[in-house]
Amino acid sequence: MAQGSGTRPPDEASTHRLQSVHDQLKDLIESLREQRERRVREGPPAPASAVSSPAEGPPLAPVPEVLDLEKRRLSADLAEARAELARLSGEEMRLRRQVADLEREHRRLSDDYVAVEEQNSELASLFVALERLHGSADRGDAMAAVQEIVVNMVGSEELGVYQLDRAGGLELAHGFGLAAARPDRYPPGDGTVARVAANGAPFVAGRGEASEDPDLTAAIPLRSGGRVAGVLAIWRLLGHKPSLTDLDQRLFSVLECHAGRWLSPAAE
Amino acid sequence: MDRKKILLVDDSSTVLLMEKMILSKSPYELVTACDGQDGYDKALAEKPDLILLDVVMPRMDGFEVCRRLRERDDTRGVPVIMVTTRGELNSVETGYQSGCTDYITKPINGLELISKVKSYLGD
């Protein structure tokens, strides 16, 4: 064991002293443990100064300064750890809020995308309907176009196009999937279809007055030169289509304004 | 890199125009056929990566087209999406029995069509 540090350089002396303090602390902890065990076995504790055996060296005295130093060091470490924990908790809260904001923005963008795509699809439908009607070469082609629009774009499997005759009645000009009960002719003023021809106001089931024909889904006036030239009557919708939509209403407007020119007498 | 190719088969020019409008923004090459026989012939000639197939058509209906395509080695693996007004269960079942991969009902929903096409061909 070293006798003293007077002949050593200052840095080596400090290291030696720290090592000595460390060794003393270690021995102190061991002696305190042995005292506790002896107290449990024998009763009154033995003096701390009598703990160490001759083989371990001279008796140890408690080092309060060392304990106090260690206690202060551990307290500082604990305070630092708590501060770090608080900082990290705050960071976690900030990141969670950021994630929530991003998720909200993502949902908004997704909703916007769907809305834009639906609008695009709707515009495409209207363009296609117009293109087909205006691209028709003759009356037969125009009637086929009306049928395709109603069957494939509105979603019906029973329709009739009626042309206004000179007497003011309606004659069937084109039909698709018509049930046997559907008339080939409507006398003037007879029923919803004839009233649509007379007053030029479209009929849609569920909006406004009910029809005497419970199967009639819609009756749309078809105009030529601003005047009613006929009526498109739609009965059964496809099984998987529950009701008409806003897009269907817009398609009806296109048909009303652009399909009637093929029903005027000059077009025959 | 060659673009993926979609064969559109329908006897309605309105439906073909609608499908072309919906798919025009996507990076696929589009080929059309106006009835079942034409669709079958073009499937053999064009080797599409996906077929949109109407059911009720003159000369050959969509179920028959699909059955014949499934009998050939060179077309057996092509995904076929039936495009039908007949959404009832028995028609859908008939479609699957004929070998179709998926189906979509009319009136065609643009978002649904794009989503299904992307699921088979990617973006």
Side-chain angles (χ1 to χ4, degrees):
Chain A
M1 185 172 293
Q3 297 298 313
S5 61
T7 59
R8 293 192 177 82
D11 54 344
E12 286 187 18
S14 299
T15 304
H16 178 71
R17 176 170 169 71
L18 283 172
Q19 183 63 45
S20 173
V21 167
H22 177 264
D23 291 339
Q24 288 177 33
L25 187 63
K26 191 174 164 186
D27 291 336
L28 173 65
I29 293 170
E30 184 61 31
S31 73
L32 288 173
R33 187 178 295 130
E34 287 178 1
Q35 283 182 36
R36 184 182 66 190
E37 288 171 358
R38 188 172 296 113
R39 192 178 301 121
V40 168
R41 285 198 308 270
E42 297 173 0
S49 60
V51 169
S52 59
S53 68
E56 294 180 353
L60 297 173
V63 185
E65 301 86 24
V66 171
L67 287 176
D68 189 51
L69 188 68
E70 188 65 12
K71 182 179 174 183
R72 281 207 296 271
R73 187 187 70 77
L74 289 172
S75 294
D77 286 350
L78 180 61
E80 191 178 329
R82 282 178 175 158
E84 181 68 6
L85 179 62
R87 189 188 68 78
L88 290 173
S89 295
E91 181 70 8
E92 183 191 3
M93 289 296 295
R94 188 187 68 79
L95 289 171
R96 284 184 185 276
R97 280 195 296 271
Q98 199 172 12
V99 167
D101 289 343
L102 287 171
E103 285 175 345
R104 267 195 300 276
E105 182 67 8
H106 177 258
R107 278 196 298 274
R108 187 187 66 79
L109 289 171
S110 295
D111 290 345
D112 286 351
Y113 169 77
V114 168
V116 167
E117 283 298 327
E118 284 178 348
Q119 196 174 31
N120 283 343
S121 184
E122 190 172 299
L123 288 170
S125 296
L126 296 174
F127 172 80
V128 167
L130 269 172
E131 181 75 10
R132 282 291 284 121
L133 291 171
H134 280 276
S136 300
D138 53 35
R139 181 184 164 110
D141 198 17
M143 292 300 102
V146 171
Q147 175 181 318
E148 288 182 6
I149 290 166
V150 174
V151 170
N152 294 297
M153 299 174 73
V154 174
S156 166
E157 48 188 5
E158 186 183 6
L159 65 107
V161 177
Y162 293 85
Q163 180 175 356
L164 206 58
D165 62 24
R166 294 181 195 285
L170 291 164
E171 289 280 348
L172 182 67
H174 179 81
F176 174 78
L178 288 174
R182 310 306 176 209
D184 289 337
R185 189 174 190 281
Y186 285 96
D190 181 18
T192 301
V193 176
R195 278 198 296 277
V196 167
N199 63 29
F203 164 81
V204 176
R207 305 186 186 199
E209 283 187 21
S211 169
E212 75 291 340
D213 182 349
D215 295 334
L216 188 65
T217 299
I220 309 301
L222 303 178
R223 298 177 184 277
S224 175
R227 301 176 64 179
V228 176
V231 176
L232 166 64
I234 298 172
W235 283 275
R236 282 175 293 134
L237 295 178
L238 294 171
H240 55 274
K241 174 145 182 167
S243 60
L244 295 174
T245 64
D246 290 342
L247 174 58
D248 296 329
Q249 302 292 329
R250 294 187 184 91
L251 285 169
F252 292 161
S253 295
V254 170
L255 289 164
E256 178 177 349
C257 296
H258 300 279
R261 66 190 181 103
W262 294 101
L263 296 178
S264 63
E268 293 185 29
Chain B
M1 181 182 294
D2 291 340
R3 292 191 298 167
K4 295 282 178 69
K5 189 183 293 184
I6 304 176
L7 174 61
L8 312 174
V9 186
D10 205 302
D11 61 328
S12 165
S13 54
T14 303
V15 172
L16 287 177
L17 186 55
M18 190 68 197
E19 289 173 345
K20 282 161 64 177
M21 288 282 295
I22 292 170
L23 297 171
S24 63
K25 292 178 297 179
S26 52
Y28 310 121
E29 181 184 346
L30 304 177
V31 179
T32 59
C34 59
D35 61 41
Q37 185 65 56
D38 188 26
Y40 178 73
D41 294 339
K42 284 190 176 164
L44 303 190
E46 298 282 344
K47 299 287 188 286
D49 300 288
L50 175 70
I51 301 174
L52 295 181
L53 184 59
D54 187 23
V55 174
V56 179
M57 290 184 290
R59 295 213 286 166
M60 193 188 298
D61 69 20
F63 298 138
E64 183 62 22
V65 172
C66 198
R67 263 192 291 275
R68 293 193 185 190
L69 291 175
R70 292 298 179 243
E71 289 170 358
R72 297 176 59 93
D73 291 338
D74 55 345
T75 54
R76 182 174 297 125
V78 179
V80 175
I81 300 177
M82 301 292 250
V83 183
T84 175
T85 56
R86 300 184 185 279
E88 298 86 352
L89 195 58
N90 57 344
S91 297
V92 172
E93 182 61 29
T94 305
Y96 283 124
Q97 285 175 357
S98 70
C100 82
T101 317
D102 204 340
Y103 80 97
I104 188 168
T105 53
K106 297 174 184 176
I108 295 173
N109 177 288
L111 268 176
E112 185 185 4
L113 179 62
I114 291 173
S115 175
K116 281 191 187 269
V117 167
K118 281 183 179 176
S119 74
Y120 290 104
L121 297 184
D123 285 333

